[in-house]
Short mmCIF file of all heavy atoms in Angstrom, two decimals:
data_model
loop_
_atom_site.label_atom_id
_atom_site.label_comp_id
_atom_site.label_asym_id
_atom_site.label_seq_id
_atom_site.Cartn_x
_atom_site.Cartn_y
_atom_site.Cartn_z
N ASP A 65 -49.94 -16.75 -72.09
CA ASP A 65 -50.92 -17.83 -72.24
C ASP A 65 -52.35 -17.49 -71.69
O ASP A 65 -52.38 -17.09 -70.36
CB ASP A 65 -50.37 -19.06 -71.57
CG ASP A 65 -51.21 -20.28 -71.51
OD1 ASP A 65 -51.43 -20.76 -72.70
OD2 ASP A 65 -51.78 -20.68 -70.41
N HIS A 66 -53.35 -17.87 -72.40
CA HIS A 66 -54.70 -17.56 -71.86
C HIS A 66 -55.50 -18.75 -72.13
O HIS A 66 -55.14 -19.80 -72.81
CB HIS A 66 -55.43 -16.38 -72.72
CG HIS A 66 -54.61 -15.06 -72.48
ND1 HIS A 66 -55.16 -14.16 -71.58
CD2 HIS A 66 -53.64 -14.42 -73.08
CE1 HIS A 66 -54.38 -13.18 -71.49
NE2 HIS A 66 -53.56 -13.37 -72.53
N ALA A 67 -56.80 -18.79 -71.74
CA ALA A 67 -57.81 -19.77 -72.02
C ALA A 67 -59.14 -19.03 -71.90
O ALA A 67 -59.29 -18.11 -71.03
CB ALA A 67 -57.77 -20.90 -71.02
N ASP A 68 -60.14 -19.48 -72.63
CA ASP A 68 -61.39 -18.74 -72.71
C ASP A 68 -62.09 -18.96 -71.35
O ASP A 68 -62.93 -18.04 -71.12
CB ASP A 68 -62.25 -19.24 -73.89
CG ASP A 68 -62.55 -20.69 -73.81
OD1 ASP A 68 -61.82 -21.49 -73.10
OD2 ASP A 68 -63.54 -21.18 -74.58
N ILE A 69 -61.74 -19.97 -70.66
CA ILE A 69 -62.51 -20.15 -69.27
C ILE A 69 -61.71 -19.37 -68.15
O ILE A 69 -62.41 -19.39 -67.08
CB ILE A 69 -62.49 -21.65 -68.90
CG1 ILE A 69 -61.15 -22.23 -68.79
CG2 ILE A 69 -63.43 -22.34 -70.09
CD1 ILE A 69 -61.16 -23.59 -68.02
N TYR A 70 -60.55 -18.86 -68.38
CA TYR A 70 -59.96 -18.20 -67.27
C TYR A 70 -60.75 -16.84 -66.83
O TYR A 70 -60.93 -15.96 -67.56
CB TYR A 70 -58.61 -17.70 -67.61
CG TYR A 70 -57.59 -18.81 -67.69
CD1 TYR A 70 -56.37 -18.66 -68.35
CD2 TYR A 70 -57.86 -20.20 -67.33
CE1 TYR A 70 -55.48 -19.76 -68.55
CE2 TYR A 70 -57.01 -21.20 -67.43
CZ TYR A 70 -55.73 -21.02 -68.11
OH TYR A 70 -54.87 -22.03 -68.22
N GLN A 96 -51.35 -16.72 -76.85
CA GLN A 96 -51.92 -18.16 -77.15
C GLN A 96 -53.24 -18.21 -76.21
O GLN A 96 -53.19 -17.71 -75.13
CB GLN A 96 -50.85 -19.06 -76.52
CG GLN A 96 -51.27 -20.50 -76.35
CD GLN A 96 -50.14 -21.38 -76.03
OE1 GLN A 96 -49.33 -21.76 -76.84
NE2 GLN A 96 -50.03 -21.63 -74.68
N SER A 97 -54.20 -18.89 -76.74
CA SER A 97 -55.38 -19.28 -75.98
C SER A 97 -55.76 -20.67 -76.06
O SER A 97 -55.33 -21.28 -77.15
CB SER A 97 -56.44 -18.21 -76.25
OG SER A 97 -57.41 -18.22 -75.15
N LYS A 98 -56.56 -21.09 -75.20
CA LYS A 98 -57.07 -22.50 -75.22
C LYS A 98 -58.67 -22.54 -75.17
O LYS A 98 -59.15 -21.66 -74.56
CB LYS A 98 -56.53 -23.24 -73.98
CG LYS A 98 -54.91 -23.26 -73.96
CD LYS A 98 -54.39 -24.03 -72.72
CE LYS A 98 -54.69 -23.33 -71.48
NZ LYS A 98 -53.94 -22.05 -71.19
N VAL A 99 -59.12 -23.59 -75.96
CA VAL A 99 -60.58 -23.65 -75.95
C VAL A 99 -60.92 -25.12 -75.84
O VAL A 99 -60.12 -26.10 -76.08
CB VAL A 99 -61.14 -23.09 -77.27
CG1 VAL A 99 -60.87 -21.70 -77.43
CG2 VAL A 99 -60.62 -23.99 -78.50
N GLY A 100 -62.11 -25.51 -75.44
CA GLY A 100 -62.69 -26.75 -75.47
C GLY A 100 -63.28 -27.24 -74.18
O GLY A 100 -63.82 -28.27 -74.04
N SER A 121 -62.49 -15.19 -77.88
CA SER A 121 -61.25 -14.87 -77.35
C SER A 121 -60.62 -13.74 -78.15
O SER A 121 -60.05 -12.77 -77.55
CB SER A 121 -60.25 -16.10 -77.33
OG SER A 121 -60.59 -17.02 -76.35
N LEU A 133 -53.19 -21.56 -80.85
CA LEU A 133 -54.50 -22.13 -80.23
C LEU A 133 -54.33 -23.47 -79.82
O LEU A 133 -53.84 -24.40 -80.67
CB LEU A 133 -55.60 -22.00 -81.26
CG LEU A 133 -56.95 -22.62 -80.80
CD1 LEU A 133 -57.61 -21.77 -79.75
CD2 LEU A 133 -57.93 -22.83 -82.09
N LEU A 134 -54.63 -23.84 -78.61
CA LEU A 134 -54.51 -25.17 -78.08
C LEU A 134 -55.91 -25.61 -77.69
O LEU A 134 -56.83 -24.95 -77.19
CB LEU A 134 -53.69 -25.20 -76.82
CG LEU A 134 -52.31 -24.46 -76.76
CD1 LEU A 134 -51.56 -24.83 -75.53
CD2 LEU A 134 -51.50 -25.05 -77.99
N LEU A 135 -56.07 -27.01 -77.90
CA LEU A 135 -57.27 -27.70 -77.43
C LEU A 135 -57.05 -27.98 -75.91
O LEU A 135 -56.09 -28.69 -75.56
CB LEU A 135 -57.51 -28.97 -78.33
CG LEU A 135 -57.82 -28.66 -79.71
CD1 LEU A 135 -58.00 -29.99 -80.45
CD2 LEU A 135 -59.10 -27.87 -79.91
N HIS A 136 -58.02 -27.53 -75.08
CA HIS A 136 -57.79 -27.53 -73.70
C HIS A 136 -58.41 -28.83 -73.07
O HIS A 136 -59.58 -28.95 -72.81
CB HIS A 136 -58.49 -26.28 -73.10
CG HIS A 136 -58.05 -25.90 -71.74
ND1 HIS A 136 -58.40 -24.72 -71.12
CD2 HIS A 136 -57.10 -26.41 -70.89
CE1 HIS A 136 -57.96 -24.56 -70.01
NE2 HIS A 136 -56.94 -25.57 -69.81
N SER A 166 -53.37 -29.60 -75.18
CA SER A 166 -53.04 -29.44 -73.86
C SER A 166 -53.45 -30.66 -73.12
O SER A 166 -54.65 -31.14 -73.31
CB SER A 166 -53.75 -28.20 -73.20
OG SER A 166 -53.53 -28.08 -71.87
N GLN A 188 -49.36 -28.62 -73.68
CA GLN A 188 -49.21 -28.21 -72.38
C GLN A 188 -49.37 -29.32 -71.36
O GLN A 188 -50.44 -30.03 -71.44
CB GLN A 188 -50.25 -27.15 -72.03
CG GLN A 188 -49.68 -25.73 -72.23
CD GLN A 188 -50.68 -24.67 -71.70
OE1 GLN A 188 -51.39 -24.86 -70.69
NE2 GLN A 188 -50.71 -23.38 -72.18
#
Side-chain angles (χ1 to χ4, degrees):
D65 176 67
H66 294 271
D68 61 342
I69 63 163
Y70 291 167
Q96 170 177 281
S97 197
K98 302 182 290 294
V99 301
S121 286
L133 171 70
L134 309 187
L135 296 177
H136 201 175
S166 178
Q188 264 189 30

